[in-house]
Each structure stands twice: as structure tokens, then as C-alpha cells.
Amino acid sequence: MLKKQLRVLLGLLVFSLLLVACSEDGEENTAPDESDAPIEETDDTTEDTEREPLDVNVSDEETVDASTVVLVINGEEVNGETYNDTYFNTKRYMMQNNQDVSDIELIKEQTLTTLKSYTLLRQDAEERGIEVTDQDVTDALDETKAQFESDEEYETALTQLAYTEESFKQSLEEQLLQQMYMDQVIETEAVTEEEITEFYGLLEEQLDDTPPLEEVRDQIVTQIEQSKMQQAFLAQIEELNEQAEIEQNI
């Protein structure tokens, strides 16, 4: 049960991780892999083994002084404390995805890209009147906790993913802002029959036992819509980046 709830917790943070993920690879890739396949989830109740908690260690070499002005974005200063928090989150994300975290320069660059992207997103959201309230965060946190059978399970899940409740609330706030921004700002074209057929064809190539198209059509449409939304969102961030005045000091 806990293993399934960990996936719920991770799923709630998908959009907040977009900015970390896009700093790794700017290339678009809409082809599905097996993790995208719209097939029924297997029952994992027999796999009750708890995963080991993430051990995210950040050395002194990887941090900067909290008062250091790391970035100036459209006149707004981003200090070392914010950089250090984002560095930790970036490293945690990489570890969650079994990526190599030995290259601290790579993590640094990804951290800076994430900071630039999120700051630009927040600035643009403020200009458009898009705001996440404390109540929004509280409601999202309550909904998250409701997915668990007990407070103990919830707290265990946070520990296993190297979150405190405060850092998780911060991640929820960022995710909510990104979701609101995408809902209110980003527009995409409707999914076409050609795109559905192409997607299904790729699944047939990759999976040994592909369900009939009509059984998975709705899931395919949803995944294509999500892919289009994510690509349009990242394109919007890139446009904001091109228009911004950014000074980098580390």
C-alpha cells in the first residue's frame, strides 16, 4: 500500500518537476516509452517492501553563502539561500530518477536553469494576476494526506522522498502555481485522429501485448494533450527567458 501511495505523492509533483526536467534536455520527444503506455496498472500489493529513504547529501563545496546574490532576474535578486534549496531539490529529483549525481557542475547548471525558469514564471504569473493562496496550499496538502491511510504513512512517505512537511508544502505551492499558469495562459490545439493513430502505432512497436485502440483511446488522448501542454509550457518559459534581463554571478 505504501509503495502505491509513494507514487501518488510523486504524481502530485509532476508539474513542479517540469522545470527541473527541462533543464536537463531541451529537445522535444513525444514518442511514448513503456512507462507512458496506457495500460492497466498491475497490482503491487504483494510488493510491500518499503523503499530505502533517499539520502541526499550536499557538501559545502556544493553550496553558496546564503546572502550571496546568485542571480538578478528582471531586477529581482535571487540569493544563496534560495539557490541552496533549489540545488537540494534538483539533486533529490535526479536521485529519484536514478541519475548520476557525481557531476556537481551539471547539478549547478540545472539548478540555475530551474531558478531562472521558475522566477520568470512567477513574475509573469504576478503580472497576470495569477496567485496561489495559503488556503490553496492547505487544501492541496489535505488532499494529499487523504490519500494515505494514516498520518504515519504520510510522514513515512515524506521521509522516504527526503521531504519535510515544509519543503513539501513549498513544492505543492510551486506545482499549484504552474498548474494555474498552464490552465490560464497556455493554449494548445485539439488532438487529431492522425496523432492518435501515430501514438498507438508506436505503442504497438514497443509493447508485446497492446490493447485494442478503442480500449485505450481516451488514455492516449489524455497523454497527447498532456504532452502538448508541457511542450507549450516549456516554449512559453523559453520565450520569457529570451525577453528577460538576467545577470548570473556564480
Side-chain angles (χ1 to χ4, degrees):
M1 176 62 70
L2 183 56
K3 191 172 182 180
K4 184 173 292 186
Q5 302 301 354
L6 282 170
R7 288 204 299 273
V8 170
L9 197 62
L10 284 168
L12 290 166
L13 299 175
V14 166
F15 284 113
S16 64
L17 296 176
L18 268 179
L19 297 176
V20 181
C22 76
S23 68
E24 296 176 358
D25 187 355
E27 297 180 2
E28 295 181 356
N29 180 14
T30 58
D33 57 25
E34 290 193 17
S35 63
D36 293 323
I39 54 179
E40 293 184 4
E41 184 177 293
T42 56
D43 185 358
D44 60 5
T45 54
T46 58
E47 299 180 26
D48 255 346
T49 304
E50 293 186 0
R51 62 185 287 176
E52 289 296 319
L54 285 177
D55 186 14
V56 186
N57 292 313
V58 177
S59 66
D60 291 342
E61 182 183 3
E62 296 171 88
T63 61
V64 300
D65 186 88
S67 62
T68 298
V69 177
V70 174
L71 294 165
V72 181
I73 303 174
N74 294 328
E76 177 182 340
E77 294 183 350
V78 179
N79 63 26
E81 182 179 6
T82 302
Y83 171 86
N84 292 336
D85 288 343
T86 305
Y87 186 99
F88 181 92
N89 292 339
T90 302
K91 192 169 187 177
R92 172 177 54 207
Y93 169 81
M94 294 175 67
M95 292 177 67
Q96 286 171 351
N97 288 275
N98 298 315
Q99 297 176 15
D100 181 16
V101 292
S102 62
D103 187 344
I104 62 176
E105 281 301 312
L106 175 62
I107 305 174
K108 172 185 172 182
E109 289 307 312
Q110 292 183 4
T111 299
L112 290 168
T113 299
T114 301
L115 274 173
K116 294 172 189 175
S117 298
Y118 185 74
T119 302
L120 290 169
L121 168 68
R122 180 176 47 74
Q123 289 176 347
D124 195 46
E126 289 175 359
E127 289 184 8
R128 296 173 183 269
I130 301 171
E131 178 185 6
V132 177
T133 66
D134 291 342
Q135 189 61 51
D136 291 331
V137 177
T138 298
D139 290 345
L141 184 63
D142 289 344
E143 289 176 11
T144 303
K145 289 181 177 179
Q147 304 299 315
F148 295 84
E149 293 184 350
S150 66
D151 288 345
E152 183 180 0
E153 265 200 5
Y154 162 73
E155 291 166 3
T156 298
L158 289 185
T159 300
Q160 290 179 332
L161 296 173
Y163 280 103
T164 63
E165 182 157 280
E166 282 306 307
S167 65
F168 182 63
K169 285 172 65 177
Q170 180 62 37
S171 292
L172 279 178
E173 181 177 353
E174 294 171 1
Q175 186 257 347
L176 286 168
L177 181 61
Q178 290 180 48
Q179 186 62 64
M180 287 181 181
Y181 188 90
M182 293 172 80
D183 289 343
Q184 298 181 40
V185 177
I186 305 301
E187 297 181 355
T188 60
E189 296 181 355
V191 176
T192 66
E193 196 65 32
E194 181 180 357
E195 288 171 326
I196 295 172
T197 301
E198 180 181 2
F199 192 103
Y200 184 74
L202 291 170
L203 288 179
E204 288 183 309
E205 292 176 6
Q206 296 182 21
L207 303 179
D208 294 331
D209 186 16
T210 309
L213 174 57
E214 291 311 311
E215 288 186 11
V216 295
R217 174 181 289 273
D218 290 346
Q219 293 161 291
I220 289 176
V221 169
T222 297
Q223 291 193 25
I224 295 174
E225 287 175 340
Q226 290 176 346
S227 178
K228 286 187 172 187
M229 180 67 75
Q230 291 172 11
Q231 290 175 24
F233 172 73
L234 297 180
Q236 173 72 3
I237 296 299
E238 180 61 29
E239 183 177 341
L240 292 174
N241 189 71
E242 291 173 356
Q243 297 171 352
E245 293 183 2
I246 299 177
E247 174 187 333
Q248 181 173 317
N249 299 320
I250 64 170

